Amino acid sequence: GGAEESVNCTEPRLLLGKRKGFVRIALQTGASLVPMYTFGETELYRPVTKHPLVIRFLMKLEKVTGIGTPLVIGHDVLNLFTPRRRELRTVFGKPIDVRKYWRAQPPPEVVE
C-alpha cells in the first residue's frame, strides 16, 4: 500500500489507480510480475477515529504533502507505533511473464 491506504486503513482494499510505474518497469525490463497480498495488516493498528470528515481531511493533506498521516494507535497508548500482535498471512500468485509484451517504451494501453 501507499500513503492513501495508510490514511484510510480501517478496511482491507487495494488501490492501483495511477500507480502503474512498477508495471511499466517490468515491461521495459522483461521482469515477471508476482502478485501478492498480505492479509491482516488492517488489524495491526486501531484508527483513532473513523469520522468521514477527518479521513477526508487527512486524504487531502496526503495529496498536498505526499505524506500519509494516519491517526492510529498501535499496541497501546504508551506504545503508539508498536503494532498489535496479529497473525499476518502473505500469499503469492503465479508470476506473470511479461516478456512477450517487452518494449523499451510500452504504450499506455499495454500498461493498463
Side-chain angles (χ1 to χ4, degrees), residues 4-70:
E4 188 173 346
E5 288 91 341
S6 71
V7 170
N8 193 5
C9 61
T10 59
E11 57 190 50
R13 52 191 196 131
L14 178 65
L15 300 172
L16 284 178
K18 299 180 207 172
R19 301 182 205 151
K20 296 190 181 98
F22 67 98
V23 175
R24 187 175 303 104
I25 291 170
L27 290 168
Q28 290 171 341
T29 62
S32 295
L33 292 170
V34 180
M36 54 131 346
Y37 188 80
T38 300
F39 293 91
E41 286 183 312
T42 57
E43 300 297 320
L44 297 177
Y45 296 94
R46 291 183 309 249
V48 173
T49 180
K50 294 182 184 181
H51 195 283
L53 290 176
V54 175
I55 298 295
R56 196 173 315 144
F57 169 75
L58 292 174
M59 291 179 88
K60 285 185 181 188
L61 184 64
E62 180 267 322
K63 288 198 185 309
V64 171
T65 64
I67 300 169
T69 53

Side-chain angles (χ1 to χ4, degrees), residues 52-100:
L53 290 176
V54 175
I55 298 295
R56 196 173 315 144
F57 169 75
L58 292 174
M59 291 179 88
K60 285 185 181 188
L61 184 64
E62 180 267 322
K63 288 198 185 309
V64 171
T65 64
I67 300 169
T69 53
L71 293 176
V72 295
I73 296 175
H75 185 65
D76 57 35
V77 177
L78 297 176
N79 298 303
L80 293 177
F81 303 111
T82 304
R84 297 188 292 172
R85 297 187 113 196
R86 296 293 186 263
E87 183 176 335
L88 299 177
R89 290 198 184 248
T90 302
V91 294
F92 296 88
K94 183 179 177 183
I96 301 168
D97 186 3
V98 299
R99 287 179 291 184
K100 61 183 172 184

